[in-house]
Amino acid sequence: MPTEKKDPRAVRTQRLLKQAFIELMEEKKFDQITVQDISDRATVKRVTFYLHYKDKYDLMYQCIDETLNELHDKVNEKVSFIGNFDFLDEQPHPSFVQLFHQVSENYPFYNALLVKNRIPYLTSRLLEIIHEFVSEGINQIEPNDENLTANRSLIIKYVESAFLEVIIWWIESGMHLSESEMAFQLMNLSIKGPYIHNPMKINHNQE
């Protein structure tokens, strides 16, 4: 069945409304924003807004779904060969780089809805994607529970929560580290932990 072709004018109007919404979300809280504010910023009539969205919640949910669906698809493209990757090569896996690249590409969106306003729907959906990413990676790298230092579900929850907070920290800091640097450091932390050498073992040997 052929894909229905979208009206270029409708696509342009929706893009303007989404951009206006994100700009306003960087400036104020969601509860303070009205449909009229969004329409004025997008330079369209209020009635035009309602031709495309039921209300500001509908606009917000569509913004989130579109951005996170793209994130999910792009990152998953790079995950399939994670089990054959040489993690000792001192290079970040492409899936980690893609994760930060997608965040960087949509910085205004994530800054507005994840940092300036912590929108629960965005946070929960982003965690779902990170959970899938982390689970797939751990399951491919080490399928044997006996070789893990803790319960598999606990490890996944621990790592996915850290991923989310690291992404938020990176955005808050103005993305001061490059995508590759963030990808490499987060990958190393996820696999090796924070220490090059076991500090408890070193301290024990010094006694």
Side-chain angles (χ1 to χ4, degrees):
M1 186 175 180
T3 304
E4 184 178 347
K5 189 174 181 180
K6 293 184 178 180
D7 183 345
R9 292 171 299 178
V11 171
R12 178 179 178 276
T13 300
Q14 290 173 5
R15 185 175 65 249
L16 288 172
L17 289 167
K18 289 170 186 172
Q19 182 179 334
F21 172 69
I22 291 170
E23 288 176 2
L24 287 166
M25 286 287 282
E26 287 189 288
E27 300 168 10
K28 58 179 75 174
K29 298 296 182 183
F30 178 74
D31 291 344
Q32 299 172 329
I33 299 172
T34 66
V35 169
Q36 190 64 60
D37 293 333
I38 300 169
S39 302
D40 289 344
R41 181 64 65 93
T43 64
V44 301
K45 294 181 179 180
R46 193 164 183 267
V47 67
T48 302
F49 176 96
Y50 288 111
L51 291 175
H52 301 276
Y53 305 103
K54 291 184 291 186
D55 50 33
K56 67 176 184 178
Y57 291 91
D58 185 30
L59 169 58
M60 180 181 71
Y61 291 141
Q62 288 198 39
C63 279
I64 292 172
D65 286 342
E66 288 175 12
T67 305
L68 292 191
N69 287 344
E70 180 182 16
L71 172 69
H72 177 270
D73 292 345
K74 294 291 186 181
V75 170
N76 272 6
E77 287 176 3
K78 308 294 183 180
V79 170
S80 58
F81 62 97
I82 199 168
N84 299 320
F85 185 76
D86 183 4
F87 287 95
L88 300 178
D89 193 32
E90 298 299 310
Q91 294 293 328
H93 188 275
S95 62
F96 281 80
V97 178
Q98 187 64 244
L99 174 66
F100 286 99
H101 178 68
Q102 287 300 311
V103 173
S104 176
E105 285 278 286
N106 296 281
Y107 170 80
F109 166 84
Y110 287 105
N111 187 48
L113 279 74
L114 186 62
V115 176
K116 297 288 183 68
N117 293 271
R118 185 74 72 94
I119 302 298
Y121 180 68
L122 170 58
T123 305
S124 62
R125 275 223 56 204
L126 183 55
L127 267 173
E128 288 174 5
I129 293 171
I130 295 173
H131 174 86
E132 183 181 332
F133 173 66
V134 171
S135 300
E136 182 68 19
I138 291 176
N139 292 341
Q140 285 193 41
I141 293 170
E142 185 47 79
N144 188 352
D145 286 357
E146 293 182 2
N147 293 329
L148 299 176
T149 59
N151 176 275
R152 183 176 296 270
S153 296
L154 188 155
I155 292 173
I156 291 170
K157 177 59 67 176
Y158 175 82
V159 174
E160 71 186 40
S161 300
F163 269 46
L164 177 64
E165 291 304 321
V166 165
I167 290 171
I168 292 171
W169 170 80
W170 187 53
I171 296 168
E172 286 178 324
S173 62
M175 300 189 298
H176 63 300
L177 297 175
S178 71
E179 297 166 13
S180 294
E181 287 175 309
M182 286 299 300
F184 182 65
Q185 292 195 49
L186 187 58
M187 186 185 78
N188 268 352
L189 275 170
S190 303
I191 296 170
K192 302 176 183 177
Y195 307 111
I196 296 176
H197 304 290
N198 187 332
M200 304 308 295
K201 184 176 180 181
I202 293 173
N203 291 337
H204 179 74
N205 291 337
Q206 290 175 345
E207 292 179 357

